[in-house]
Amino acid sequence: MVTRTISASALGLALLAAVPISAAAQQPAAQAYGAPAVSYTEMADLLIGSPLVLDATIASAVRIKGAEAANVPPGFMRFYIEADVTALIRGPGAIPPRVGYVLDARVGPDGRAPKYRKARVILFARPVPGDATQIQLTGPDSQQAWSPELDSLTRRISRELVAPDAPPVVTGIGNAFHVTGSLPGEGETQVFLTTQDNRPVSLSILRRPGEQPRWAVALSEIVDDAAGPPQRDTLLWYRLACGLPRALPARSTQALEPADAEIAQADYRFVLQQLGPCVRGPAAY
């Protein structure tokens, strides 16, 4: 750790831009001892909420004490960090070669202050109005220890988010329909989703006697017979697994006969089961 003087103006801006301490108390920030690997879901959450993503190396870390750290909870320390930017992974434009920010970090396992100097990190942040050299971390886990796997995942999701064909944000369920086939156990269910930008998204579930149900997602008005489920840990999977409600709302099936509405609900539950849970927790990357 480097001991040095922080200018009052820089510290003032950084403290104003600090992540609220209540959030830090609920979920500790990533530490120099090595942050746990994160799931695709957590990384997508961070990227969507962070207009600025930096690959950086910490140049100095000064502990903040006294009145400026009065609201730090037990077991945490507050630091003013300066980091040299290696690469701009995501952002609206140019970034200064060195940035400063405030970090509330959990005390190390031995009760000592964590050592940050020369640590390579990925920062998820937003710019601070009025000072391009200061950034604000967007959450308590917005400083992540760099690793090749984390760097690769961060860049992949960043590309997915800005791709011309990026799937829309799912906001809810529209109407659902079920058509019974000519054979017992045969039928097709269609579920139309609502999206943030009103782009069409629909789910189709096809059942045939003696076969495993098949389902697909369509991102246009036309349902492609060759379409299938989204690959796990992709942006489309994330939009569905984390955006869909746990059951079809009653209004979505109100035009159906009770038996058809029950089948539509079962088919929708099948889709949720196939997608798997929207897990926000450590994953093995």
Side-chain angles (χ1 to χ4, degrees), residues 40 47 53 89-90 149-167 234-235:
Y40 181 98
L47 281 158
V53 181
I89 297 175
R90 185 183 186 195
E149 296 80 9
L150 188 62
D151 184 87
S152 176
L153 181 62
T154 300
R155 293 174 186 272
R156 176 162 69 87
I157 299 175
S158 296
R159 291 192 297 269
E160 289 180 296
L161 287 169
V162 300
D165 59 348
T234 61
L235 188 58

Side-chain angles (χ1 to χ4, degrees), residues 7-280:
S7 72
S9 58
L11 180 56
L13 277 170
L15 287 170
L16 286 172
V19 175
I21 196 67
S22 58
Q26 296 168 10
Q27 191 174 11
Q31 299 174 33
Y33 300 105
V38 294
S39 67
Y40 181 98
T41 299
E42 289 176 307
M43 191 55 55
D45 288 345
L46 278 173
L47 281 158
I48 290 169
S50 304
L52 195 60
V53 181
L54 307 175
D55 178 349
T57 300
I58 294 176
S60 64
V62 179
R63 185 177 175 185
I64 301 170
K65 300 181 181 180
E68 290 84 2
N71 59 346
V72 177
F76 284 78
M77 294 179 179
R78 177 165 291 176
F79 293 89
Y80 177 71
I81 307 285
E82 287 195 343
D84 294 323
V85 177
T86 304
L88 176 63
I89 297 175
R90 185 183 186 195
I95 192 77
R98 177 169 288 190
V99 295
Y101 58 94
V102 168
L103 175 71
D104 291 328
R106 189 180 294 277
V107 176
D110 55 1
R112 297 181 180 180
K115 296 181 179 180
Y116 286 107
R117 189 167 180 266
K118 297 185 179 180
R120 188 175 178 183
V121 293
I122 297 180
L123 304 173
F124 301 85
R126 62 177 63 90
V128 173
D131 190 344
T133 67
Q134 299 298 309
I135 62 173
Q136 177 190 21
L137 299 183
T138 53
D141 283 333
S142 291
Q143 176 179 293
Q144 292 282 334
W146 185 95
S147 71
E149 296 80 9
L150 188 62
D151 184 87
S152 176
L153 181 62
T154 300
R155 293 174 186 272
R156 176 162 69 87
I157 299 175
S158 296
R159 291 192 297 269
E160 289 180 296
L161 287 169
V162 300
D165 59 348
V169 176
V170 174
T171 57
I173 303 289
N175 292 325
F177 302 94
H178 178 76
V179 178
T180 302
S182 56
L183 298 174
E186 184 179 53
E188 182 175 4
T189 297
Q190 277 195 299
V191 180
F192 294 90
L193 309 183
T194 58
T195 61
Q196 193 173 70
D197 57 2
N198 297 317
R199 279 190 282 163
V201 178
S202 64
L203 309 173
S204 61
I205 304 95
L206 183 63
R207 291 182 180 269
R208 290 195 174 98
E211 297 182 10
Q212 174 79 359
R214 293 166 47 203
W215 76 280
V217 56
L219 299 178
S220 67
E221 300 284 0
I222 302 172
V223 178
D224 184 357
D225 291 337
Q231 183 179 348
R232 189 175 178 85
D233 289 352
T234 61
L235 188 58
L236 179 55
W237 170 85
Y238 168 86
R239 296 296 196 203
L240 297 174
C242 300
L244 291 174
R246 295 300 91 189
L248 290 178
R251 58 175 173 74
S252 297
T253 59
Q254 62 184 359
L256 300 179
E257 294 294 329
D260 289 340
E262 186 176 341
I263 294 173
Q265 284 282 6
D267 285 345
Y268 182 74
R269 288 194 297 269
F270 171 75
V271 170
L272 294 181
Q273 181 184 29
Q274 293 295 301
L275 284 169
C278 174
V279 176
R280 290 179 167 91

